[in-house]
Amino acid sequence: MRKKAAQTRSLLIKQLANGDFNSGELLGELVGVSRSAVANHIKYLTNIGLDVFSVKGRGYRLASPLQLLDQNKISALLGQQSTNVVEVVSIIDSTNTYVKEHLHQLPKGYVCLAEAQTHGRGRRGKTWVSPFGSSIYMSMAWTFKGGYQSMAGLSLLVGIAINRSLKTMGIKDCKLKWPNDVFHNCRKLAGILVEVEGQVGSDASAVIGIGINVDLPNAVSEIDQPFVDLVSITQKPVDRNELVALIILTLTTMLTEFELKGLAPFLSEWREADLFYNEYVYLESGSNRIHGLSKGINEGGALMLENAGKVTPHHGGEISVRKS
């Protein structure tokens, strides 16, 4: 039943994507349901962030045309040399959850993309607000032959990859916040959630989750910190398919080097974009706070903090860093 409802909603979205009016009767005929059922599906779509309005006698229409993610277009942009398998779904609970549940069946470099997440997840159990068609929600599967120890600093590498991709787009002034955020003018633009599966002493797999704000609805109110999206920065439309392909290619290339050399080759890129370098910050873990001067990161991805003349490394986990 849920699968059928999801298919019906996907068909409705594709029909509405061009921004034209469609009557409830026409939509019902198209997807094989009654006009009242169409109304219920439209209500669901508005609840997940799709801006649909209705006019009596004319039907339903999106507030503006919608560019949908296109699996075939992304694969074409990746090129024939790419080994990445890309899957685009319309609405999902969480791309990370989906990849975790199917991890052992998926090829290395597999990517899941969604138009909307009903239970998007961020770091430390926070919700990642995921309105329909307005951002990038993606998760990549990657296996590391070296096990857990070969993943040190992985979330930092992903942040560097996102920043590289944005630079290629012409956005050159983003900053990286340890251990998993990308900022622009002190507002959050993107977040990273890396989840690891495997046993000590054997190969380990990572689910690399990425969320990037592209063109958020004006009505978004659930985000609990200052944020920004790419359209606000560039003041022009952003082709999500092109951006996704660029990130996949960049990240895949960097992961291949990371497997061989670790984080060391990328430290200078982090230093250049470090949001808090030489700033006084505090680390927060539960009720504990540690204050000090941020001195960048080491080859293991730890944050180096200077306190009372001594520099010590601090690793991720449940630690959060804030400017003092």
Side-chain angles (χ1 to χ4, degrees):
M1 185 68 178
R2 290 177 63 184
K3 185 176 181 180
K4 185 177 180 181
Q7 291 172 339
T8 298
R9 290 163 187 159
S10 293
L11 288 172
L12 289 172
I13 292 163
K14 287 179 180 178
Q15 183 65 20
L16 292 167
N18 63 8
D20 293 337
F21 276 106
N22 289 265
S23 69
E25 183 178 5
L26 174 65
L27 292 173
E29 290 176 358
L30 177 70
V31 300
V33 300
S34 66
R35 282 190 295 175
S36 61
V38 168
N40 288 332
H41 285 303
I42 294 293
K43 182 177 180 181
Y44 175 87
L45 294 175
T46 59
N47 287 339
I48 61 168
L50 203 58
D51 194 359
V52 186
F53 66 93
S54 63
V55 174
K56 190 173 181 179
R58 301 193 70 184
Y60 300 98
R61 176 186 166 183
L62 291 178
S64 58
L66 181 66
Q67 180 210 48
L68 297 173
L69 292 170
D70 186 321
Q71 191 168 307
N72 292 329
K73 182 176 180 180
I74 294 167
S75 296
L77 288 166
L78 292 176
Q80 295 182 349
Q81 300 301 315
S82 172
T83 58
N84 299 94
V85 175
V86 177
E87 181 180 4
V88 174
V89 297
S90 183
I91 303 165
I92 200 170
D93 54 352
S94 158
T95 57
N96 258 38
T97 298
Y98 177 81
V99 173
K100 280 181 69 176
E101 289 175 348
H102 300 86
L103 193 54
H104 300 297
Q105 308 160 30
L106 300 174
K108 184 175 181 177
Y110 166 89
V111 176
C112 176
L113 291 153
E115 292 286 10
Q117 298 180 118
T118 56
H119 293 87
R121 296 184 289 114
R123 187 168 169 263
R124 304 175 77 196
K126 291 187 176 181
T127 297
W128 187 269
V129 179
S130 310
F132 192 97
S134 59
S135 296
I136 290 171
Y137 318 115
M138 66 173 276
S139 296
M140 177 184 284
W142 198 270
T143 302
F144 291 84
K145 296 293 184 183
Y148 284 104
Q149 62 270 26
S150 63
M151 295 190 198
L154 177 56
S155 68
L156 308 184
L157 179 90
V158 180
I160 296 167
I162 294 171
N163 194 33
R164 266 195 198 183
S165 301
L166 294 175
K167 281 184 176 181
T168 302
M169 286 181 58
I171 302 172
K172 303 182 183 298
D173 47 359
C174 290
K175 296 294 182 181
L176 300 173
K177 177 176 176 284
W178 184 90
N180 66 328
D181 292 324
V182 180
F183 274 63
H184 183 273
N185 284 346
C186 298
R187 293 178 293 175
K188 187 168 179 174
L189 175 63
I192 299 149
L193 176 64
V194 173
E195 299 182 280
V196 178
E197 298 283 325
Q199 297 179 347
V200 176
S202 64
D203 293 353
S205 296
V207 180
I208 302 168
I210 296 173
I212 304 176
N213 302 329
V214 177
D215 189 10
L216 292 173
N218 293 331
V220 168
S221 59
E222 302 94 336
I223 303 176
D224 62 357
Q225 60 182 303
F227 64 91
V228 69
D229 60 32
L230 289 175
V231 169
S232 298
I233 296 168
T234 62
Q235 294 297 301
K236 60 183 181 181
V238 173
D239 188 317
R240 290 188 299 146
N241 291 302
E242 292 181 2
L243 177 56
V244 162
L246 178 58
I247 290 171
I248 292 172
L249 288 171
T250 303
L251 182 56
T252 300
T253 299
M254 291 175 64
L255 281 168
T256 303
E257 184 176 2
F258 178 75
E259 283 187 282
L260 298 172
K261 303 176 183 177
L263 196 60
F266 309 99
L267 291 178
S268 61
E269 280 186 81
W270 177 275
R271 169 74 177 272
E272 182 183 341
D274 192 337
L275 179 64
F276 288 145
Y277 187 76
N278 263 344
E279 297 273 2
Y280 281 97
V281 300
Y282 66 86
L283 304 185
E284 192 174 63
S285 179
S287 59
N288 297 322
R289 281 190 178 186
I290 304 171
H291 293 260
L293 187 66
S294 175
K295 303 302 291 185
I297 60 173
N298 65 12
E299 292 186 6
L303 178 67
M304 306 302 292
L305 198 66
E306 182 179 320
N307 193 313
K310 184 179 179 181
V311 179
T312 55
H314 298 268
H315 295 274
E318 293 304 306
I319 296 176
S320 180
V321 60
R322 299 283 186 273
K323 188 173 180 179
S324 293

